[in-house]
């Protein structure tokens, strides 16, 4: 494969995945305009966001498997076409119901193309070039997540909320042209070789096993842990995952060959992914809320406050990936999360006013440096530890772990945040009644009327608890990698 083709591969896979990740954040700033134009209820606004996340999180493993079976370029192109068609439906949606359905279809398209994009990179590059390519993919897709809210705000203010979805169409068209005209074709199946068998039962069990917990974790903040939908989602999902593993163990052509977990590096890498993305998801989620609800930042200001994370990823990820391929990933996958954890602990200095330069920027910069050192070596190591024919499913596993880790961490850390906020408020307002404390648990970071100073102090303490728990996830992942990974031979 010549250099021009490799550049086309990198451009197509970055652009396709970036659009998917942009759409996971860009819609948030369009929700008020959506509500006004489509007369959407609060529940419908939530599902406009959640339908996308649910389908993307529950089917990404299936998408990776289909790429391995039917060809990664073919499935990548199908995902692009589906995502583009769904984006057009979103832009033209006359009401919230159709918009929710179209968002679900977007999630399905994203689940096909994201794991295939990384598998295409893995197959197209090797050695140090692979590390740099995955670093570039990581940097640009991560940057697009941060650029999404400012871009969405600009489009909504100057054109319409529909432009948020319409913008996808020319980007998808360019990416699809690159894919079909410049990317190498999938290998041709030799004569006499039967068509691959699709593990339908495994795919259904996997979708239910991932979709159930994802649905439960999305709904839990609004309805509580005891709500029937949450309980059924969690319990049913766990049972479906257990059935999925049992089915895959005895199926002659499993969707997920369990042998990939015999690789020590693959297993450790995914455990590290769980901790790293749990810390990332929880920390950025609660920081964004705190900056707006307590510190008085606007939505755009809060997004820009976390922009240094993406800028550091953009500047350093390719170099970290290439260097990791040369010297081994252990110190990057181990040291990077420790640096990121130290950055989160710097947030223990933050107060309710949260001045950007003296309190927010130092913590964000150290955290971003740690993530820039970690993410590309982590992704390259996990994908490189699986056999080439399983690159798609390996990418699917890693993406599924990352998506579920963030949702799980938000729910878990949210319990610490709510308890810390209510306990500190009770300490500072001794006469607080049960009704006030229950309201505080349900809405941490929201000032209680008449007790604004106490609420601000309680909010700062609650954020500190969130950052301690998020740092613990990061540090645990770093220690795991430092103590268990070995430099590959050769």
């Amino acid at each position: 494969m010549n250099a021009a083709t490799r550049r086309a591969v990198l451009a197509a896979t970055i652009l396709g995945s970036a659009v998917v990740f942009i759409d996971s954040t860009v819609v948030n700033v369009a929700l008020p305009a959506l509500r006004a134009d489509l007369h959407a209820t609060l529940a419908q606004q939530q599902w406009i966001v959640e339908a996308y996340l649910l389908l993307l999180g529950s089917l990404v493993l299936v998408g990776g498997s289909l790429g391995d079976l039917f060809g990664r370029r073919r499935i990548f192109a199908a995902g692009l076409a589906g995502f583009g068609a769904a984006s057009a439906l979103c832009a033209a949606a006359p009401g919230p119901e159709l918009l929710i359905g179209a968002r679900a279809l977007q999630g399905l398209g994203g689940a096909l193309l994201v794991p295939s994009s990384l598998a295409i990179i893995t197959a197209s590059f090797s050695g140090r070039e692979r590390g740099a390519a995955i670093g570039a993919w990581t940097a640009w897709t991560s940057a697009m997540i941060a650029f999404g809210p400012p871009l969405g705000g600009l489009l909504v203010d100057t054109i319409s909320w529909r432009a948020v979805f319409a913008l996808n169409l020319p980007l998808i068209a360019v990416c699809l042209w690159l894919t079909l005209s410049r990317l190498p074709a999938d290998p041709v199946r030799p004569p006499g070789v039967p068509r691959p068998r699709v593990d339908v039962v495994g795919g259904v069990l996997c979708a239910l096993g991932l979709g159930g917990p994802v649905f439960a974790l999305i709904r839990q903040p609004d309805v509580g842990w005891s709500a029937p939908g949450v309980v059924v989602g969690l319990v049913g999902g766990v049972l479906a995952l257990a059935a999925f593993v049992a089915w895959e163990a005895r199926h002659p052509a499993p969707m997920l060959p369990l042998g990939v977990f015999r690789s020590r590096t693959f297993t450790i890498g995914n455990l590290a992914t769980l901790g790293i993305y749990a810390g990332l998801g929880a920390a950025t989620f609660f920081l964004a809320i705190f900056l707006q609800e307590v510190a008085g930042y606007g939505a755009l200001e809060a997004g820009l406050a976390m922009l240094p994370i993406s800028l550091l990823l953009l500047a350093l990820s390719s170099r970290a990936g290439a260097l990791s391929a040369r010297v081994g990933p252990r110190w990057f996958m181990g040291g990077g999360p420790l640096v990121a954890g130290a950055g989160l602990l710097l947030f223990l200095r933050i107060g309710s006013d949260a001045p950007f330069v003296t309190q927010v920027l130092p913590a964000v910069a150290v955290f971003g440096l740690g993530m820039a050192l970690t993410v590309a070596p982590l992704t390259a190591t996990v994908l490189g530890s699986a056999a080439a024919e399983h690159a798609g499913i390996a990418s699917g596993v890693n993406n599924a772990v990352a998506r579920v880790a963030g949702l799980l961490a938000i729910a878990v850390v949210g319990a610490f945040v709510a308890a810390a906020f209510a306990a500190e408020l009770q300490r500072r307002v001794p006469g607080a009644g049960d009704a006030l404390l229950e309201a505080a648990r349900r809405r941490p970071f929201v000032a209680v009327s008449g007790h604004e100073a106490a609420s601000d102090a309680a909010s700062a303490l609650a954020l500190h608890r969130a950052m301690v728990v998020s740092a613990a996830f990061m540090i645990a992942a770093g220690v795991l990698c430092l103590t268990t990974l070995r430099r590959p031979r050769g």
Side-chain angles (χ1 to χ4, degrees), residues 206-234:
C206 176
L208 292 174
L210 291 175
V214 168
F215 173 83
L217 292 170
I218 287 173
R219 299 301 298 151
Q220 184 276 329
D222 296 319
V223 299
W225 288 109
S226 60
V230 174
V231 173
V232 170
L234 286 174

Side-chain angles (χ1 to χ4, degrees), residues 109-170:
L112 293 178
L113 70 88
V114 169
S116 294
S117 70
L118 278 168
I120 290 170
I121 290 176
T122 301
S124 303
F125 296 85
S126 60
R128 197 180 307 176
E129 286 188 337
R130 178 187 293 170
I134 290 177
W137 183 93
T138 300
W140 282 103
T141 53
S142 300
M144 290 304 103
I145 294 174
F147 292 145
L151 174 62
L154 178 64
L155 292 173
V156 171
D157 289 343
T158 58
I159 306 176
S160 162
W161 64 265
R162 297 182 187 276
V164 170
F165 300 107
L167 179 65
N168 292 338
L169 301 181

Side-chain angles (χ1 to χ4, degrees), residues 246-274:
W247 175 267
E248 298 299 279
R250 62 186 181 85
H251 195 275
M255 187 189 90
L256 172 60
L258 299 181
V260 297
F261 290 99
R262 295 194 189 104
S263 166
R264 174 190 181 94
T265 302
F266 183 80
T267 301
I268 291 170
N270 278 292
L271 288 174
T273 298
L274 185 67

Side-chain angles (χ1 to χ4, degrees), residues 42-189:
L42 177 60
Q44 287 170 332
Q45 290 180 78
Q46 290 172 326
W47 275 109
I48 288 167
V49 175
E50 292 163 0
Y52 180 81
L53 298 176
L54 181 61
L55 269 291
L56 179 62
S58 60
L59 293 176
V60 68
L61 195 57
V62 176
S65 174
L66 291 176
D68 288 343
L69 288 176
F70 296 106
R72 286 133 193 181
R73 191 186 79 155
R74 185 175 294 114
I75 296 300
F76 182 70
L80 287 170
F83 197 93
S87 296
L89 288 176
C90 288
E97 295 83 2
L98 182 57
L99 180 55
I100 291 169
R103 286 284 285 166
L105 292 177
Q106 274 192 315
L108 172 60
L112 293 178
L113 70 88
V114 169
S116 294
S117 70
L118 278 168
I120 290 170
I121 290 176
T122 301
S124 303
F125 296 85
S126 60
R128 197 180 307 176
E129 286 188 337
R130 178 187 293 170
I134 290 177
W137 183 93
T138 300
W140 282 103
T141 53
S142 300
M144 290 304 103
I145 294 174
F147 292 145
L151 174 62
L154 178 64
L155 292 173
V156 171
D157 289 343
T158 58
I159 306 176
S160 162
W161 64 265
R162 297 182 187 276
V164 170
F165 300 107
L167 179 65
N168 292 338
L169 301 181
L171 300 178
I172 291 291
V174 170
C175 189
L176 196 55
W177 172 79
L178 276 173
T179 300
L180 297 178
S181 65
R182 304 295 300 276
L183 268 62
D186 294 315
V188 178
R189 188 173 61 255

Side-chain angles (χ1 to χ4, degrees), residues 64-490:
S65 174
L66 291 176
D68 288 343
L69 288 176
F70 296 106
R72 286 133 193 181
R73 191 186 79 155
R74 185 175 294 114
I75 296 300
F76 182 70
L80 287 170
F83 197 93
S87 296
L89 288 176
C90 288
E97 295 83 2
L98 182 57
L99 180 55
I100 291 169
R103 286 284 285 166
L105 292 177
Q106 274 192 315
L108 172 60
L112 293 178
L113 70 88
V114 169
S116 294
S117 70
L118 278 168
I120 290 170
I121 290 176
T122 301
S124 303
F125 296 85
S126 60
R128 197 180 307 176
E129 286 188 337
R130 178 187 293 170
I134 290 177
W137 183 93
T138 300
W140 282 103
T141 53
S142 300
M144 290 304 103
I145 294 174
F147 292 145
L151 174 62
L154 178 64
L155 292 173
V156 171
D157 289 343
T158 58
I159 306 176
S160 162
W161 64 265
R162 297 182 187 276
V164 170
F165 300 107
L167 179 65
N168 292 338
L169 301 181
L171 300 178
I172 291 291
V174 170
C175 189
L176 196 55
W177 172 79
L178 276 173
T179 300
L180 297 178
S181 65
R182 304 295 300 276
L183 268 62
D186 294 315
V188 178
R189 188 173 61 255
V193 175
R195 288 183 174 274
R197 295 174 56 187
V198 178
D199 180 10
V200 176
V201 174
V204 171
L205 289 173
C206 176
L208 292 174
L210 291 175
V214 168
F215 173 83
L217 292 170
I218 287 173
R219 299 301 298 151
Q220 184 276 329
D222 296 319
V223 299
W225 288 109
S226 60
V230 174
V231 173
V232 170
L234 286 174
V235 175
V238 169
L239 293 176
L241 283 176
F244 170 68
V245 172
W247 175 267
E248 298 299 279
R250 62 186 181 85
H251 195 275
M255 187 189 90
L256 172 60
L258 299 181
V260 297
F261 290 99
R262 295 194 189 104
S263 166
R264 174 190 181 94
T265 302
F266 183 80
T267 301
I268 291 170
N270 278 292
L271 288 174
T273 298
L274 185 67
I276 290 164
Y277 280 86
L280 172 66
T284 54
F285 179 84
F286 289 107
L287 177 62
I289 294 175
F290 178 88
L291 291 177
Q292 294 176 76
E293 295 285 358
V294 181
Y297 286 49
L300 179 59
E301 291 172 320
L304 293 175
M306 292 186 283
L307 193 58
I309 300 172
S310 292
L311 295 178
L312 284 164
L313 283 164
L314 199 58
L316 299 178
S317 286
S318 291
R319 297 177 184 178
L323 191 57
S324 170
R326 187 174 71 186
V327 304
R330 180 188 176 198
W331 293 108
F332 293 90
M333 291 172 60
L338 296 183
V339 174
L344 295 181
L345 293 178
L346 284 177
F347 279 109
L348 298 181
R349 301 169 55 249
I350 202 169
S352 59
D353 54 346
F356 175 72
V357 173
T358 58
Q359 292 185 3
V360 178
L361 180 59
V364 165
V366 175
F367 176 69
L369 174 62
M371 292 302 299
L373 294 174
T374 302
V375 177
L378 172 68
T379 304
T381 299
V382 170
L383 297 186
S385 64
E389 65 269 21
H390 298 318
I393 194 66
S395 174
V397 169
N398 196 240
N399 272 280
V401 169
R403 301 287 83 76
V404 173
L407 290 168
L408 178 62
I410 288 170
V412 171
V413 178
F416 284 91
V417 167
F421 182 76
E424 182 65 10
L425 192 64
Q426 184 178 35
R427 188 181 74 82
R428 290 177 176 269
V429 186
D434 291 341
L436 186 148
L437 293 175
E438 181 60 28
R441 289 189 188 93
R442 290 182 176 277
R443 300 186 67 191
F445 298 142
V446 175
V448 177
S449 179
H451 304 289
E452 285 78 8
S455 297
D456 285 348
S459 294
L461 179 68
L463 181 71
H464 297 168
R465 294 290 184 272
M467 293 304 171
V468 167
V469 179
S470 300
F473 285 131
M474 285 281 182
I475 292 169
V479 171
L480 173 69
C481 293
L482 283 176
T483 55
T484 58
L485 282 180
R486 297 186 292 266
R487 178 175 177 175
R489 296 178 180 177

